[in-house]
Each structure stands twice: as structure tokens, then as C-alpha cells.
Amino acid sequence: MPEASTDEPVAGAVPSVSVGRATVGATAWPPADLVAAAVEALRNPGLVVIAGAPGTGRSTVLKRLGETFRGTVFAGGALAMLRGVPALPLSRAVRVRLPSHEAPLLAEAVRSRVRHGLLLLDDLQWADPLTIAALPAIAEHCRIAVTLRTPHRLPGDAEQVLRAAATAWLNVPAMPADAAAALVRQIAPGASSTVVTDLVRRAGGVPLAVSALAKHVAQGGTPLDADKGLAYTVAGALADLNRPARTAMAALGLLGRPVTATVLGEGITELTATGLVEVDAAGIAAPVSPYTAEVAAGLLEPAERVALHRRLAGLVPPREAARHLAAAGAAGDAYQVAVRAARAATSTGERAELLLLACDLPGITAAADVRLDAARAALAAGRPGSCLRVLTPEAVTDPAIGAVGAVLRGEALLQQGNAAAAAHAVAAVGDDAPGDVLGARDRVRLLATLSTDADAALTRAEELLRVHGDAPAHPGLRAAIAAVRAGTRRPGWEYGLASAASAAGQAGDVLAARWSAWLLVETLTADARLAEASNAAAAAAAACAGDLAYSWQTRFIAAQLWCDALRGEEIDEVVRRAGDLTDRTLPAVARGYAVAAASLAEADGGLLAPARARLDALTGRPSSTGPVLDWVTREAAWLDGQPDHAGARGTDLPAPPLVDGLRRITARWAAYDAGDVTGPGLAAGDAGDRPLAAVAATLDAWKAPDLFAAAAAAWHDLARREEVRCLLAQGMLEEDAELAVPALLEAERLAEEAGLVVLLGRTRRALRRHAIRRDTRGRRAGDELTDRERDVLRLVANGEPTRRIAGQLGISRETVETHIRSGMRKLGARTRTEAAALAIEELG
């Protein structure tokens, strides 16, 4: 390779700098401004030091410098196992044996060979003292770039010598979160948004950690899996810390969260100096890479780990202290601390966590009252499985648990949808039990009866009112009687459920209050009172969020989204929120409703492939949402032009009135598309006995098309999409253009406003049959989608929410929204889903 030209532009010395956090894509790391700063500093002879934590890309920066240099490059580096060999890094670079006794002779020998070239030395932290001593003299006449890992163990004042001699000292910045997320998506494209977010957080901007952990995810592992090579690299760096710093870093790993710097002791000084920990203005210390902290914790010897857990237990709040004591093997102390902390807990979720911890400690038999309190808290937090784990059938045989435990087990089984087992669990509870136990027993029995025979349940409810009074003093029994009346649609059932929920809340029976609110939402939804159900679900979700009752909260949020999807309102927002929800760990019921909501909204918006893929990926459909998912699957098939799949027989589970009616309507459309103009579609006897008024009007209109206008009016305040379908059917079945066209024009207007892309397309095709070719908004002449707009809309079409698109493309959320709006304008689309559907057609 020819030597560098001597007539390059000359620039003044560049002072030491720290390069900022550039926003870059996954393939643009390290940041261009860092490499540019190094290139600028090397225009003249001098020393550039590139410093950074393990895995930050120091060696990559060195490689980039070698690639951009116009001249001879001499590349070498130090080796950890040969750090005592004099001048080894320099000998490896120039490929000759060098004087190894005096620094001046060594410097002269290197200068005579490098001359106008570029000398690159990697991993200077393992270099011998002679090499470091010679570098300032070499830099007076040659260009040198070295990498230095932090922390390090350079001998004596070697770092000060390097800083004094350096033309530029460049600190490699942490990889920005959006770039790290894009890299994860590139390596593990199937990773969910939750996994990506967790992985990026743990990696802490270290590219090596990002890529190594992402590879585990891509291979079917989890972000918790540790890459051995990466862990070894990190462990080697941690070994160069002093003991207090290593202990402080391990403490951060065991805590799993930021902590006041004073908790970490004297080790915090070295951790901040090496850039492994950042301390904010409030004195809160956080590891730059949580993964590094986890490795530090993993390096502890068993005795050290136990001692550190015990020390931390005395420095953190009681709710955390219990977990540290448990990890230290002090089960007895952990039990006492957890029980005391649970009594002081301010939320149901926190109380449940602490009591369940106390009950699960190895070698500890929790007291009967603690087990009962844990079971109650688990039920209130929406965790019936945890309740059953605490109150096993064997535990219920304990006289101290007895009948109280039996009714709690029955309630948990009831919440899981196992009514028969619930009734069996309380069968042995006699009439001589205390009043509150009798009320709980009768509640379980009544609801178990309701699941199989509504009329028998109503008769039994009247009998119980004569025994317990009207209204019963037991909040749970009052709620169960309200549920029976709601199930049989007795007048005033809405008020009965709402007042039962309110009374239960005032009495402190959180479970009965939330269960009644949930039943109110489900019953309103079943009767197509979707706006009311959505509002009730939103209010209940907010209340649960304040109490950290995550399971209940997500259930209500999913139900709200399902209602909004059925109404055909804000379908883009439904897709975004439901997609975000399905990325989390959810109860089965919440997942079912969230998937149904997202899939229906996507299908209505023209994103049929993502909708059907989402449905196909869902496994283990619970009985409560099975009919809902079955209908959405049929509806997506019909919207996709597959009437044979839409009309196929699905689940035999009984469906709520609205879903039952929608299933019949979809079957009727499927029969029509298959060529059966007069057939009944799904027979009335196939599902349900009480069709809703709007459903009955729609099915009747298929036999007398002049009734479709009235059917559409019946749907007007309930579900926009069904109103459009009625108007569409009227226009398609009516032969007289004067009667058909107005209905089709109204259907077109409503579908376009709501973003119902598929129904809008069918409506416009029907209008063309009547020779109606109205001007519709289309793409602006000369406005072509940019490559970035195509990328964004393609990801929208795949069902990706904004934050995930931003992560994949390495851009901000605001930029994503800008590209979507620009694409909508160019394509003449009203919603992002419509724009994505149009983009799919254009992109093929």
C-alpha cells in the first residue's frame, strides 16, 4: 500500500472531546461524528485515544480509521495473556523485533518504520509499561490511534501520561435506544415489542450486548439468557475494578433498579469515573448497562452473595427487604418482613405479591391466617391461579382454614370458568358456618347454577333473598343475585349490577366490586350497548390501575378496545392500543379480547393478512372469548373474499346475543357471496334463542330488501360497520337504481368516514354496476411515495404500532407519524390503515 501523501491539508491540534449520542440506524454504528473527529485529529502527527466500556465498539472505530486512511496502516495490539512482554503491541504492528530495553530507542525504531503511515493499537489496557512510555515520543512524528477499555489497570500514572500526550481523547457513546432497537429487529425480527424494549434496557447502549442478547432471542431463547463470550468480556473488565467498586456494581445487579448513591458505598467513585454508572442530580445511581450489573452479581461467590443480600435487606424498603432475605436463604426473617410489609401495603397488587412470597418460601409453613389473607389478596388482584396454589385441597383440611378456605377455593375455580369444580369445592360447607362464609358459599353455588341453568338460578336467587334479605348483607352474594338478574335480563339489571359493585367497594370487598363491574361490561357488550360498555370498562380500568391490579386492569382495557372495534370508531387507535396490549403478559381473557379487537380493526381497515395471521397465532382460546374469536375469524375470511371459510361451521360454544347475531349476519353474507341469494345462511336454531332487535331486523331484511333501511337505522347508534353493511345489502339487492343508489352513496360516506376500507371498496363496486362513477379522492398527481414512506407504510400494513416502527427503522416516533401523514396525503387516504392498504396494492 503506498504511503500517505505529505501535501494533505494541515489543521490545528484538536482538543480532547467526548462525542455526543448521535441518532443512528443499526448499520451506522459507531456514530459517524466520532469517526470524523478521530480522522480530523489525525490529519497531523498525534495520538488519539478511543476509550469506552466493553463491547461499545472501540475496535470497530479503529477499523473504520484504517479503512479511511490514504496510506500505509500498521495495525497491532496488546494481548491479555502476554501483557508482560515488552513492546509486544508495537512489534505486532510493524512486524519486526524491536528494542525492548529503553523507551527512546523503541520510539525511534517505530518512527523509522511508520513515518507518514497510521499506527493502530487495539486493547491498550493490556499493554506493557514500555509500550505506553514510548507512545508520546512516537506521536510527535507519527499518527497513532489506540483503544482503551474502561475500566483498566494501566500501571502507575500511565493514564495521566496518555491524557497529557493525546491530541484527542474520544469516549465512545452509548448506542441510542432507537438504534439498539433497530439492531435487535434486524437480528431477531420475530421479537415482540416487550422483548425488544427489555433487551435494549438491559444492554444499556452496548452494541455487543445488544447483538449477543438478540441472537439468543432469535435462536428461541429469552433476553435473560447470557452470552458466554459477552459475559467473559464483561467479567474481564470488572476484574480491573477495585473490590468496593465490584461490590457496588454487584449490588446494582441484585437490586435490579437505580438506587441512592450512598447505598453503594465508596465503590461509586470508581464506577462513575470509569463510566459504568451514572449519577443524576438527585444522587440516584444507575448502571449504564444493567446487563453489566447482572454479570457483576453473577461473579459473586455464594458467601459474598448471601452477605450482600443481607446487607441490602437493611438498606431498602421492607417490600424489597423480604425478597433479599429470601435470596439470602433467611426464609424465617423473609417471612416475618413480608407479612409485616403486607399489612402496611397501600395497594392490592403489592399486598398480594408480599403475601404470596411469604407462602412460597421454602421450609416455611405459613400460618393459616396468612394463607387466607394471601388467597383473598390474590383473588382481588385477579390471580385465581395463585389463590389455588396457596389453598390446595390438602390445606383446606386444616381446621384453621376449613370452610373459609373452601369458599375461597370455590371462588377461584369460578373465576377460572370451572363452575362444576367450584360447586364441588364448597359442597362440604354446612349451614352452621358463620354468616359471611354462608354468603360466600351461596354465591359460589348460585353462580355455578347460573352457568348451566339460568331459570333454575333465578328461582334459587329468590329463595336466597328470603334467607339473606333483600338486599343481602354479604356483598358477594348481592353481586351474584344481580348477576342472575342480568343473565335473565330482568328489568333494572343494569342498576342492580352497578349498585352491587358500589356496595361491594364501600364494604371493602374488592373482588366482588371488580367482578360486578366486569359482568356489567360483558352484559352491556352482549346486548350491543357498546358505548356504555366502553365507558364502564374505561372507568374500571382506571380504578384497577390505581390499585396495581394489573390482571383486572388489562382485562377491562381489552374489553374497551373490543367495544370500540365493534363500533367502528377510531380503528387506527384500536389497532395501536390493542397491538401494544398483546405484546404484554396477559390473562387469557384479556388476550382474547385484545386479539379480537386488533384483528377486526385491521381487517376492516384492509390489513387482512396481518389480521388473519394474528388470529392464527393465538393458541389456547378460553371459552369466554372463543365465540368472539370464532366470529372475528369468520368475518376476516369474508372480508378477504373467502365465503366458504366464513360460512364454515365453527365453535359450538354458546355465544352472547350480539356475537351470535353477528355470526348469523356474516353467514348470511357468505351464503350470498357463494351464490345463494335466498338461503337462510346460519339457521336461527344454530346459535342462541334471543336475537337482538337490530340483528332480527337485519336477518328479516334479507328476505324483504325494502326493510334494510330500517335495519340500518337500528344499527346507527350501535355499530357503524353493520349500518354500512345493511345499506350495502340494500343497494346490492335492490334492482331499481333510484332506490339502490342513495343507499349505496350513504354507505360509501359512512365507510369512508370510519376508514372501513374493504366495505368502502365493495360499495364503490356496487355503485359502478349502476354506472355511478363519482370523483373520489385519490393520490395527488406527481406525488410518489418516498422509499422511507414505503417502508413505514409496509410496516403499518404488517400491524406494527408506531413505537415498534420507530425502533425497526431507527427513527423517532414523530418522524414515523410524519411519514404516515405524508403517505396518507399522497394516497388520498383518510386513515393510516387505509393508507397502508393502498400502499400494499401499489407495492404488490
Side-chain angles (χ1 to χ4, degrees):
M1 184 179 291
E3 293 187 355
S5 171
T6 58
D7 57 357
E8 295 178 353
V10 177
V14 180
S16 299
V17 296
S18 290
V19 178
R21 291 172 176 256
T23 300
V24 294
T27 59
W29 193 260
D33 55 353
L34 186 147
V35 178
V39 169
E40 182 66 21
L42 291 171
R43 284 183 174 274
N44 294 312
L47 172 65
V48 171
V49 179
I50 300 160
T56 50
R58 305 180 314 277
S59 299
T60 305
V61 175
L62 214 61
K63 180 181 177 182
R64 295 280 191 276
L65 290 177
E67 293 171 345
T68 58
F69 185 73
R70 299 199 305 269
T72 306
V73 176
F74 301 87
L79 297 173
M81 297 181 66
L82 299 175
R83 64 194 310 172
V85 178
L88 175 67
L90 294 169
S91 296
R92 294 180 68 206
V94 298
R95 290 179 169 79
V96 297
R97 294 185 64 179
L98 297 170
S100 58
H101 301 292
E102 294 185 17
L105 290 177
L106 175 61
E108 180 59 34
V110 174
R111 283 200 306 263
S112 66
R113 286 165 176 79
V114 175
R115 300 177 63 195
H116 303 299
L118 174 63
L119 176 61
L120 303 178
L121 298 180
D122 202 8
D123 289 327
L124 197 66
Q125 69 275 4
W126 292 322
D128 60 287
L130 184 63
T131 295
I132 294 174
L135 288 179
I138 300 172
E140 291 180 5
H141 302 279
C142 302
R143 299 174 179 85
I144 311 174
V146 302
T147 66
L148 178 65
R149 188 203 65 199
T150 54
H152 58 74
R153 282 188 180 177
L154 291 179
D157 60 352
E159 181 177 342
Q160 287 68 34
V161 171
L162 288 174
R163 285 187 177 274
T167 307
W169 190 288
L170 305 176
N171 294 310
V172 181
M175 194 178 205
D178 53 359
L183 179 57
V184 175
R185 291 289 182 193
Q186 178 180 322
I187 298 172
S192 70
S193 178
T194 303
V195 169
V196 173
T197 301
D198 179 61
L199 191 153
V200 170
R201 178 193 64 80
R202 292 182 65 234
V206 178
L208 179 61
V210 174
S211 58
L213 295 174
K215 287 176 183 176
H216 276 281
V217 173
Q219 294 167 3
T222 71
L224 296 178
D225 297 330
D227 179 86
K228 293 182 179 178
L230 172 61
Y232 179 82
T233 300
V234 173
L238 293 172
D240 286 342
L241 295 170
N242 61 35
R243 187 178 184 85
R246 291 199 304 271
T247 302
M249 199 67 182
L252 285 170
L254 294 179
L255 285 166
R257 65 172 178 85
V259 69
T260 304
T262 55
V263 171
L264 302 178
E266 60 182 279
I268 188 63
T269 302
E270 183 169 355
L271 291 179
T272 54
T274 56
L276 292 175
V277 169
E278 294 177 341
V279 180
D280 64 16
I284 302 300
V288 172
S289 170
Y291 178 77
T292 302
E294 294 166 14
V295 172
L299 294 174
L300 291 171
E301 295 293 334
E304 292 178 309
R305 179 183 292 270
V306 168
L308 187 53
H309 271 301
R310 281 190 171 277
R311 176 189 160 197
L312 292 173
L315 298 173
V316 298
R319 64 179 182 275
E320 291 184 71
R323 296 184 179 89
H324 285 293
L325 288 169
D333 293 340
Y335 176 82
Q336 296 297 331
V337 171
V339 172
R340 286 197 302 269
R343 296 193 185 106
T346 57
S347 69
T348 298
E350 184 181 326
R351 178 176 170 81
E353 287 288 346
L354 288 164
L355 289 172
L356 290 171
L357 170 66
C359 292
D360 291 338
L361 288 168
I364 297 294
T365 301
D369 61 330
V370 173
R371 284 182 175 272
L372 293 174
D373 286 347
R376 293 189 187 97
L379 286 172
R383 300 173 60 179
S386 297
C387 172
L388 294 173
R389 189 180 72 248
V390 171
L391 295 179
T392 62
E394 294 75 18
V396 176
T397 61
D398 182 349
I401 293 178
V404 177
V407 296
L408 288 172
R409 271 190 61 81
E411 183 68 45
L413 290 165
L414 201 64
Q415 298 299 323
Q416 287 188 332
N418 195 342
H424 177 73
V426 302
V429 178
D431 293 337
D432 57 344
D436 59 336
V437 177
L438 282 178
R441 180 202 68 179
D442 290 343
R443 165 187 164 82
V444 172
R445 289 179 175 176
L446 180 60
L447 292 175
T449 303
L450 178 62
S451 68
T452 57
D453 189 338
D455 292 334
L458 186 61
T459 301
R460 178 58 181 160
E462 298 300 327
E463 295 172 356
L464 290 173
L465 287 175
R466 289 192 290 271
V467 174
H468 293 275
D470 190 2
H474 189 279
L477 180 58
R478 177 175 176 177
I481 290 174
V484 171
R485 289 174 171 171
T488 53
R489 301 302 192 275
R490 288 295 182 267
W493 66 265
E494 307 95 320
Y495 172 77
L497 275 178
S499 61
S502 177
Q506 293 175 4
D509 191 338
V510 178
L511 171 63
R514 288 173 183 157
W515 182 83
S516 297
W518 175 250
L519 193 61
L520 177 63
V521 169
E522 282 205 312
T523 310
L524 288 171
T525 304
D527 287 357
R529 296 166 63 173
L530 301 174
E532 296 173 76
S534 178
N535 292 334
C544 292
D547 201 28
L548 302 183
Y550 175 78
S551 294
W552 280 108
Q553 178 194 3
T554 54
R555 188 183 299 190
F556 282 113
I557 291 174
Q560 178 193 4
L561 293 170
W562 170 238
C563 292
D564 294 344
L566 285 171
R567 294 173 65 200
E569 299 288 340
E570 300 292 340
I571 63 173
D572 283 342
E573 183 69 7
V574 170
V575 171
R576 183 188 67 80
R577 292 183 61 199
D580 287 349
L581 196 62
T582 55
D583 282 340
R584 306 178 187 178
T585 301
L586 298 174
V589 173
R591 183 167 299 281
Y593 278 122
V595 169
S599 300
L600 181 61
E602 285 174 330
D604 277 339
L607 305 181
L608 293 159
R612 301 190 71 175
R614 191 187 295 273
L615 289 164
D616 292 341
L618 183 64
T619 58
R621 299 182 179 186
S623 59
S624 55
T625 56
V628 169
L629 292 162
D630 173 68
W631 172 70
V632 175
T633 302
R634 292 167 178 265
E635 183 69 6
W638 176 74
L639 289 169
D640 203 16
Q642 302 181 45
D644 52 333
H645 289 96
R649 188 174 185 85
T651 178
D652 292 326
L653 292 172
L658 175 59
V659 174
D660 170 36
L662 293 173
R663 190 164 57 182
R664 298 187 197 185
I665 292 171
T666 297
R668 177 58 269 174
W669 271 105
Y672 174 83
D673 287 352
D676 184 358
V677 179
T678 59
L682 185 67
D686 286 349
D689 300 317
R690 303 186 308 275
L692 298 173
V695 173
T698 303
L699 295 175
D700 289 342
W702 276 98
K703 302 174 183 177
D706 59 315
L707 299 178
F708 269 120
W715 286 110
H716 180 71
D717 294 323
L718 304 180
R720 176 70 59 86
R721 65 186 315 280
E722 295 307 319
E723 180 182 6
V724 170
R725 286 215 288 185
C726 285
L727 293 169
L728 174 61
Q730 179 182 357
M732 294 176 69
L733 295 176
E734 181 61 62
E735 297 294 336
D736 188 345
E738 292 186 0
L739 299 176
V741 170
L744 292 172
L745 293 177
E746 179 64 7
E748 180 189 39
R749 182 185 69 81
L750 294 173
E752 188 171 17
E753 287 180 355
L756 303 172
V757 173
V758 179
L759 293 179
L760 177 61
R762 290 196 63 152
T763 302
R764 286 177 173 165
R765 287 196 296 274
L767 281 168
R768 286 196 291 271
R769 288 202 296 270
H770 291 285
I772 302 297
R773 298 184 179 275
R774 299 170 60 253
D775 289 335
T776 58
R777 296 188 320 124
R779 67 160 51 246
R780 289 176 45 171
D783 271 356
E784 295 295 331
L785 293 175
T786 65
D787 289 341
R788 182 61 88 186
E789 288 165 355
R790 293 171 187 268
D791 292 340
V792 168
L793 291 176
R794 185 182 287 108
L795 289 170
V796 171
N798 289 336
E800 301 285 6
T802 298
R803 61 183 174 80
R804 227 187 290 177
I805 296 172
Q808 291 188 49
L809 299 181
I811 57 180
S812 68
R813 296 188 186 188
E814 292 75 15
T815 302
V816 171
E817 293 297 338
T818 298
H819 287 313
I820 291 174
R821 287 193 297 270
S822 177
M824 290 170 59
R825 174 181 59 80
K826 292 178 180 180
L827 294 170
R830 289 182 178 271
T831 68
R832 56 188 280 158
T833 48
E834 183 183 358
L838 293 172
I840 289 175
E841 294 180 8
E842 178 175 297
L843 298 173

